Amino acid sequence: MSNDEDDVEWPREVAERNQRLLTVVSGSSDAEENTVDIIDPNDIVGVNVEIELASTGISEPRSLTSSLNRNDDSNQNNEPVSEIPVDTQANAILSLFVYPKPNLSTKGYIQTFCGAERNKTKNSNKAITFLEDKDRRQDCSDASKSSKCIGQRYCHHRRFTVAPSEDLTDLSILVNAIRKLSQPNKLPATSLDEEERLLVIVNPCSGQKMGVSEYEKMLLPMLEEAGVAHDCLITTHTKHAEERMRKQCTPSDFKDVSKYTGIVVVGGDGTIHEIMQGIHQRDDRDKILESIKLGMIGAGTSNGFSASLAHASKESMSPLDSAFVIVKGMSSWIDLSRYDTKSSSYTSFLTFSWAMIADIDIESECIRWAGFLRMDIWGVVRVLFLRKYRAKFSYLPPTEDKKTVILPPLSTPLSENEGWVTVEDDFVLFWVSQVTHAGEQMFQSPSCKMNDGVFQIFVVRGNVSRLRLALILLAMEHGGHVGMNGVEFIQCSAYRLEPITQGSYNDLDGEVIESGPIQASVLPSSIQAYSNPQYD
């Protein structure tokens, strides 16, 4: 089998040092083995074996005798004279579904960017073919998209022809070993109740209305490649996802959410907000939160939750990367929080904003057609027509035990003897975060950890100038606002905000809620989210 090794620079030394890399070789007992491919199991989502029939017209049965001796009269007992079986009717095909990251070394990145790296073995070895899904692979040929493609995973499947053998035991062992290597934390199910089954909720109206397309072209094929069962709900009206979270009582209904191992949203943060409020209304909400995993493929306007998970996992913020982490089944515990207003309570997973950011988010709904650009447009408006809001702000500094703080009713005063710190001041910006990103272009809280048990409150007080505020907002996209004059970050495990100025909004996870006094406490490590647990 020919192999032009001069055209292929395989990382043999890395493969020898790292036992988790798969090295694929070709060759026989009388020929030198050649390296065909080197694969990182961490990039594999699934493996499949199929029998491929030979071309039609071949009716001769499989024989262990070599073709050279098949007509030899001296071999009357039909005993094999070759140790290598020859299958004339079918071949075993081993398919690996792989989503690697580009090689970002200087030479490797240039080759990858130009397409040479991905196809360098197509003409050098016939034992392997590469199956690339063009619908799911980011097109980096357009210079205007190149910055978004750096570091993104891409579809680069392998398809091997397995050497003929009478016994497929070794092949079965190989397949099981690859599955174990590619999903080291996944335990085999001992019963039907323990089998992984996801509920995928698709919002076709989020953002640019690409939810259904992202599901069909991105998530669905990957779930099939990984062999993950799922049910899909495409929402048809507002709060449809919230209704779906409620208890399913009759046999004619869909399965109750407690029967699933994970919920995956293809949409925006508003859809997850509906899901959290639907679970919040259940009597068994604590049990549901402990047993289920939450994932998101951003197809909305801001996609803050998916961006934060990607950042924590050190993955690109693309839909394919999000789908990859979900299908791999990687998860980590993250914090939630409980919010109380005068007449309602909520479960939050993202951010709470008041003053300027809430004004921008809520008032810009009138130009929602502009997509995420609406935030920038309305941000300019709010800087030019600056508003200041006065409020009484109380917070409880965090402790090392990370226990949930039980808050008194809003009508009960907070005591300084219990550790509460209270200030009254004018505020221009008040932004509470449990995640690093409130949107793909909002890196508002770089020091946030999704399971640190604290709120990070980003505050700008009323004495800031318009120029300074504009610089802060511009620097926020890349986290450059941290340390700037006028920027404060306050850490706490619970807080209460009591607006004095009338006419302000309360914006929870991007959704407007009851205005007026509000308080919240962190619920440490309350739910698992699909993410690579590197930040632990």
Side-chain angles (χ1 to χ4, degrees), residues 382-454:
R382 289 275 57 89
V383 169
L384 294 176
F385 300 94
L386 190 60
R387 295 173 180 170
K388 299 178 182 180
Y389 295 93
R390 193 164 188 85
K392 181 180 178 181
F393 169 48
S394 304
Y395 65 92
L396 192 63
T399 58
E400 295 181 358
D401 55 12
K402 294 185 179 181
K403 292 184 179 179
T404 302
V405 178
I406 306 300
L407 294 175
L410 271 169
S411 57
T412 303
L414 300 174
S415 174
E416 293 183 0
N417 295 330
E418 297 178 356
W420 288 89
V421 179
T422 301
V423 297
E424 182 178 321
D425 206 343
D426 293 327
F427 297 92
V428 170
L429 187 150
F430 187 92
W431 205 350
V432 185
S433 299
Q434 291 183 273
V435 295
T436 53
H437 292 71
E440 292 178 347
Q441 301 177 34
M442 292 183 182
F443 195 20
Q444 85 286 346
S445 190
S447 62
C448 251
K449 303 294 182 183
M450 299 188 72
N451 59 350
D452 56 6
V454 300

Side-chain angles (χ1 to χ4, degrees), residues 235-374:
T235 59
T236 59
H237 54 275
T238 303
K239 294 191 175 182
H240 192 176
E242 180 176 333
E243 296 168 3
R244 181 64 180 84
M245 294 301 104
R246 296 172 185 167
K247 192 73 174 178
Q248 306 296 308
C249 301
T250 63
S252 60
D253 289 333
F254 288 103
K255 292 181 180 179
D256 186 70
V257 67
S258 61
K259 303 299 182 182
Y260 295 95
T261 59
I263 300 175
V264 177
V265 172
V266 185
D269 296 319
T271 307
I272 298 187
H273 179 78
E274 290 186 15
I275 289 172
M276 298 310 299
Q277 306 326 308
I279 295 176
H280 179 78
Q281 298 171 25
R282 295 177 61 122
D283 295 334
D284 60 346
R285 59 177 175 267
D286 293 336
K287 182 179 179 181
I288 296 295
L289 293 176
E290 290 177 0
S291 62
I292 209 162
K293 300 177 183 179
L294 184 64
M296 178 182 177
I297 296 177
T301 301
S302 298
N303 307 318
F305 189 62
S306 65
S308 298
L309 291 177
H311 177 77
S313 304
K314 299 181 180 177
E315 297 282 348
S316 172
M317 296 180 188
S318 71
L320 188 144
D321 287 71
S322 298
F324 173 83
V325 174
I326 291 169
V327 170
K328 289 284 284 186
M330 297 179 288
S331 65
S332 296
W333 290 95
I334 65 170
D335 300 335
L336 298 176
S337 55
R338 176 186 171 90
Y339 277 78
D340 296 313
T341 60
K342 286 184 177 180
S343 60
S344 302
S345 63
Y346 308 87
T347 297
S348 173
F349 65 97
L350 195 67
T351 64
F352 168 80
S353 62
W354 176 78
M356 184 179 192
I357 299 300
D359 291 349
I360 293 173
D361 188 19
I362 295 170
E363 294 177 356
S364 66
E365 287 286 337
C366 61
I367 56 171
R368 193 176 182 86
W369 50 267
F372 191 82
L373 184 61
R374 69 186 174 96

Side-chain angles (χ1 to χ4, degrees), residues 458-479:
F458 173 17
V459 171
V460 176
R461 300 182 188 257
N463 57 355
V464 68
S465 67
R466 286 181 173 83
L467 175 59
R468 172 60 56 183
L469 182 60
L471 294 175
I472 291 172
L473 295 178
L474 289 172
M476 191 171 59
E477 181 176 349
H478 303 291

Side-chain angles (χ1 to χ4, degrees), residues 45 99 133 136 198 200 202 211-232 264 266 297 319 323 326-327:
V45 301
Y99 294 87
D133 191 335
R136 287 183 285 166
L198 306 181
V200 179
V202 181
V212 175
S213 175
E214 296 286 6
Y215 165 70
E216 293 179 346
K217 293 184 177 180
M218 196 80 62
L219 181 60
L220 178 59
M222 293 180 72
L223 290 173
E224 292 175 346
E225 291 162 1
V228 178
H230 75 285
D231 295 328
C232 180
V264 177
V266 185
I297 296 177
I326 291 169
V327 170

